[in-house]
Amino acid sequence: MKKLSSLSIALSNLSYKINRTLSMLLLTSLCAASVFACVVLSYGLKNGINTVQKRLGADLMIVTKGAEQKMQSVLISGEPNYFYMEKEIAEKISQIEGVEKVTSRFYLTSVSEDCCDFPVQIVGFEPETDFVISPWIEESFPPDSKKFTEEFYTEGCVVTGSNVLTQKDGVRFLGKTHPVSCKLSKSGAGIDNAVFVSMNTLKEIYDDAKGRGFGFISDGKAGSKVSAVFVRLSEGAKADSTAVKITSRIPNVSVVKRDAVFSEISSSLDSVFFILKILAVSVTLFTVISLAIIFPLAVSSRTAEFSILRILGAAHKKCAKILLYEALFISVAGGLSGIALACLLVFPFCTAID
């Protein structure tokens, strides 16, 4: 007669009581799926906001007084906007203690675009001084490649955000096709809807479009004004103290700090994280309580079964091993199935968030 192992008896019991087994598998799967989904979603949200902050690149953004909200809308949602101040302000800011680098931006907003279904923000920047977009552009080219400097610094070329539709010969807007040096990877921020050009190219585009009769949502002059000055602080410099120095020495400007740009998003995310934690804890408690009720009832209903095993010579240890194998199988099978289900449902959303 073939000797029955504890594992084989446990598997037979699980298959015989299929309804009970499926109910416990469902509970453990639900618990594993909810906890895993909450962890992955939390990580995806945090990683997404960190990516956007990293892509911002600057510690401070200086804009004309009253344009703080407009600046945040441009950076976060990509809402086309315009605000201008004198170009010489960038030079004054660079001389303030605590400032390591400065670079200027000019936001030119078109009324409508041929290339996209929504207005596009045309952003003029200075490749020679830029430390925000240039490193990101270089990521699009192979290491040690000269293609970046050879292509981008060719006047007339543009760099597009990930949401801007391009064609083989370039991107068309304002009645003219412009060659595209590269297309930036998706960031999830407003820059995905922007077209980046050098200041010289921006002036050419502006003058050419004006001559063609195109209108702009702007009151500034490309070449003599800028929309914002991006600042990188020196090592050890404090954002708050440097901001005070800038506003005290340069009139009619406001300072937007990087942390402040994302403070509202971070507050919203804190609420989301709290809800996710509550959900995971609630489902886990429900699962533990349910299993704590079902499993002992299942054991007590099998008194006759264990009595027969004892009569046949099975020790208490063997009966305990049978129960242990059953619990182990339900935990592992339910956990793996729950994680697999959560992966199918959650990972697509995390990829989009990230």
Side-chain angles (χ1 to χ4, degrees), residues 239-276:
D240 291 333
S241 58
T242 306
V244 171
K245 292 176 185 177
I246 292 173
T247 53
S248 62
R249 298 182 190 181
I250 304 174
N252 300 319
V253 299
S254 296
V255 178
V256 179
K257 289 176 281 190
R258 180 172 60 181
D259 294 340
V261 173
F262 300 98
S263 61
E264 186 175 341
I265 297 177
S266 298
S267 299
S268 300
L269 286 180
D270 288 340
S271 300
V272 173
F273 294 149
F274 180 75
I275 293 172
L276 290 175

